[in-house]
Every structure is written in C-alpha cells, then in structure tokens.
C-alpha cells in the first residue's frame, strides 16, 4: 500500500438527461476518484431542489463502456451508435431509472487523470485490506 501518496481526482461535467420523447435536460455531475477506494468512481448528480443523488460505479466499468457495451443490472454504459462522440449511461434503481449522455472525450480525460493517480492493475497496492474489512463488517455487509 502507498498510504502516504493518496490522492483525489475531481471533475465536474454536464450529463444530458434523456427524458421521454427525446427531451434533453442538462444535469451537473461531479465525478470523484479517491486512491483510498481505487476500484470505484463516485458520481454526484445535482438534482436541483431535490438535492443530490450519489452513485458509485466501478472504474473499469466506466472505462469499458467508452469502447463497448458494458455492465449488467443497475448500471449499463455504452458508446452511442452514431458518430456523435457520446457515451450513454443508464442507471436503474427501485425508485426509478435515468439515461444520460456524456461527452466521451471528457470522460476519457477524467479516467486518464485517475490512471495517473493509480495505474490500472495496481489498485490492490493502494488498499488497506484490514481497514476495508473493518468498514464492511461494521455495516453488517
């Protein structure tokens, strides 16, 4: 583990919420990567007066979805089929579902910044397994 070298990568982007009938609504999203949790990317969606909605997805899933359809269940990511340079992110939860489109280049730039913080394949070197297990067990997971 590289405990003294931990870092965070933050980026703000606009995701386009694709509503029924093709209506597009811009949504501010903060992406967060922390080397203390090297396998995940946090997404904080600005839901206006309703507050914020947080999602956590695998960094590898986000990267895979830039080039091909990826994910099952609650999170699915894929490049758009046309040459628009957009990625489609579909999120599903018991409370509802949402489909977003985001600029693939901006997403790739964010991922590249995370790879500067923790190289792909080196994630295990950044985790404190005892701390992670304690955190999981304290939540009865």
């Amino acid at each position: 583990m590289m405990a003294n070298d931990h870092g965070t990568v933050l980026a703000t982007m606009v995701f386009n919420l694709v509503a029924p009938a093709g209506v597009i609504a811009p949504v501010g999203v903060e992406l967060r990567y922390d080397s203390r949790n090297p396998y995940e990317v946090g997404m904080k969606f600005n839901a206006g007066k309703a507050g914020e909605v947080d999602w956590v997805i695998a960094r590898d899933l986000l990267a895979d979805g830039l080039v091909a359809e990826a994910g099952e269940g609650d999170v699915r990511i894929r490049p758009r089929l046309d040459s628009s340079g957009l990625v489609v992110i579909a999120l599903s939860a018991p409370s509802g579902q949402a489909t977003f489109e985001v600029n693939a280049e901006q997403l790739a730039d964010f991922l590249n910044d995370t790879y500067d913080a923790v190289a792909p394949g080196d994630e295990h070197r950044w985790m404190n397994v005892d701390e992670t297990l304690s955190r999981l067990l304290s939540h009865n997971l």
Side-chain angles (χ1 to χ4, degrees):
M1 181 179 67
M2 302 174 184
N4 296 328
D5 298 331
H6 281 295
T8 302
V9 177
L10 294 172
T12 43
M13 297 181 196
V14 174
F15 285 23
N16 288 323
L17 174 63
V18 181
V23 175
I24 303 289
V27 176
V29 179
E30 178 186 273
L31 286 93
R32 179 184 183 90
Y33 179 80
D34 188 329
S35 62
R36 287 177 182 84
N37 297 307
Y39 293 101
E40 66 185 44
V41 170
M43 295 181 176
K44 185 179 299 261
F45 293 83
N46 180 352
K49 292 180 182 177
E52 297 172 335
V53 177
D54 293 316
W55 278 79
V56 176
I57 65 170
R59 179 171 75 158
D60 287 347
L61 175 61
L62 198 55
D64 291 347
L66 284 173
V67 295
E69 190 168 333
E72 296 179 16
D74 294 346
V75 180
R76 296 173 187 252
I77 304 171
R78 66 173 174 78
R80 226 170 86 166
L81 299 177
D82 57 20
S83 59
S84 63
L86 297 174
V87 172
V88 177
I89 299 176
L91 304 174
S92 179
S95 59
Q97 54 190 352
T99 301
F100 298 91
E101 293 179 338
V102 60
N103 181 289
E105 188 175 326
Q106 288 181 327
L107 208 50
D109 288 345
F110 169 76
L111 282 169
N112 286 332
D113 289 344
T114 73
Y115 297 148
D116 289 342
V118 176
D122 280 350
E123 292 91 350
H124 67 283
R125 297 177 62 205
W126 291 81
M127 291 190 70
N128 181 330
V129 175
D130 292 334
E131 179 184 312
T132 302
L133 283 174
S134 291
R135 195 173 68 234
L136 289 173
L137 294 173
S138 71
H139 289 87
N140 295 323
L141 298 177

